[in-house]
Amino acid sequence: MERIPILKMGPYLLVTIQVDMHDRLALALQEDLTERIASTRAHGVLIDISSLEIVDSFIGRMIGNIAGMSKVLGADTVVVGMQPSVAITLVELGLSLKGVRTALNVERGMDLLRASLEGADEEYGGSSPEA
Amino acid sequence: MERIPILKMGPYLLVTIQVDMHDRLALALQEDLTERIASTRAHGVLIDISSLEIVDSFIGRMIGNIAGMSKVLGADTVVVGMQPSVAITLVELGLSLKGVRTALNVERGMDLLRASLEGADEEYGGSSPEA
């Protein structure tokens, strides 16, 4: 079970990160996800990190990479479900998840993606206030 | 991170099982899930097992329990994403996931829940053919 499942929900892909990430798993996820974006023509990627109690620079970079790759393939990335303590630590450490948008939960993340899809091509990019 | 996240998507709750289940984790999941069903008044529960390569009698029983509890709280349960090899093994072992409906993927599972919600109170129960 060393593979993180990617769930398709309408035009979005949902990834729930529950296990400790290591190099190989992160690489496998990037590969799987880019393939799935291509094959499903997804417009958005939601990464749920609600079960992560620690987000270190490795995971931060991985999320940034995923967001970058998705962008190139035409999909926006939203990180959802961040625990308050994680948010505090990120800010204190000066890790900013640049280029990645965040939302409180999956539903708000979907709203965000929907909104940016509707107002597409006008302006997006950068981390905007959620919902 | 010894807690399986439960994601709310509209009137449904989504649980993705990625890690090896053990007693305590299964109990915690049952507790969390029943609480969430009560607090969100969810109409359905989707359990994604696409990353499980083995479904033994323990997991089968846990899924059965969850389905039973959800039912009492007014929510239907659909198991989604079962790998073909798992389906083969289940049938060969005579484990039937009684009282639990299955669907090929999350989207079909949602369709199934939606259909049973619309045609509610008429007839459901038992494992019906998906989608």
Side-chain angles (χ1 to χ4, degrees):
Chain A
M1 53 174 81
E2 272 304 85
R3 211 109 197 167
I4 294 178
I6 299 165
L7 308 179
K8 183 168 180 293
M9 341 210 50
Y12 312 123
L13 297 177
L14 173 67
V15 180
T16 315
I17 296 177
Q18 289 176 30
V19 292
D20 278 320
M21 294 303 276
H22 51 256
D23 284 29
R24 249 180 341 134
L25 193 57
L27 279 180
L29 177 60
Q30 287 174 8
E31 239 170 67
D32 291 350
L33 193 57
T34 44
E35 263 168 37
R36 280 296 287 278
I37 293 173
S39 65
T40 62
R41 297 165 198 206
H43 290 299
V45 175
L46 293 149
I47 303 178
D48 173 70
I49 59 167
S50 58
S51 62
L52 294 188
E53 269 155 27
I54 296 164
V55 171
D56 54 13
S57 59
F58 174 70
I59 294 193
R61 204 167 49 239
M62 186 200 73
I63 290 174
N65 284 349
I66 287 178
M69 294 171 193
S70 306
K71 194 84 180 171
V72 175
L73 294 168
D76 273 347
T77 303
V78 179
V79 170
V80 301
M82 190 186 291
Q83 289 187 19
S85 59
V86 170
I88 293 170
T89 318
L90 279 185
V91 171
E92 281 180 353
L93 290 178
L95 294 169
S96 63
L97 294 183
K98 249 179 241 131
V100 179
R101 290 187 294 177
T102 52
L104 194 62
N105 54 40
V106 177
E107 287 182 323
R108 290 202 184 180
M110 283 197 175
D111 290 345
L112 195 62
L113 285 172
R114 209 171 294 128
S116 82
L117 210 69
E118 279 161 14
D121 304 315
E122 285 180 47
E123 66 92 18
Y124 49 44
S127 47
S128 63
E130 74 260 25
Chain B
M1 52 177 82
E2 271 303 83
R3 211 111 197 166
I4 295 178
I6 299 165
L7 307 179
K8 185 170 178 292
M9 339 211 51
Y12 312 124
L13 297 177
L14 173 67
V15 180
T16 315
I17 296 177
Q18 288 177 30
V19 292
D20 277 321
M21 294 304 275
H22 51 258
D23 284 29
R24 251 183 338 137
L25 193 58
L27 279 180
L29 176 60
Q30 287 173 8
E31 238 170 68
D32 291 351
L33 193 58
T34 44
E35 263 170 37
R36 281 297 288 278
I37 292 173
S39 66
T40 61
R41 297 169 199 201
H43 290 299
V45 175
L46 294 149
I47 303 178
D48 174 70
I49 58 168
S50 58
S51 62
L52 294 188
E53 270 155 27
I54 295 164
V55 171
D56 54 14
S57 58
F58 174 71
I59 294 193
R61 203 166 52 237
M62 186 202 71
I63 291 174
N65 284 349
I66 286 177
M69 294 170 193
S70 306
K71 193 82 179 172
V72 175
L73 294 167
D76 272 348
T77 302
V78 178
V79 170
V80 301
M82 190 186 291
Q83 290 188 17
S85 59
V86 170
I88 293 170
T89 318
L90 278 185
V91 170
E92 281 180 353
L93 290 178
L95 294 168
S96 62
L97 293 183
K98 249 178 242 129
V100 179
R101 289 188 292 178
T102 52
L104 194 62
N105 54 38
V106 178
E107 286 183 322
R108 290 202 184 182
M110 283 197 175
D111 290 345
L112 196 61
L113 285 173
R114 209 171 293 127
S116 83
L117 210 68
E118 278 163 13
D121 305 316
E122 285 181 47
E123 66 90 20
Y124 49 45
S127 47
S128 63
E130 75 260 22

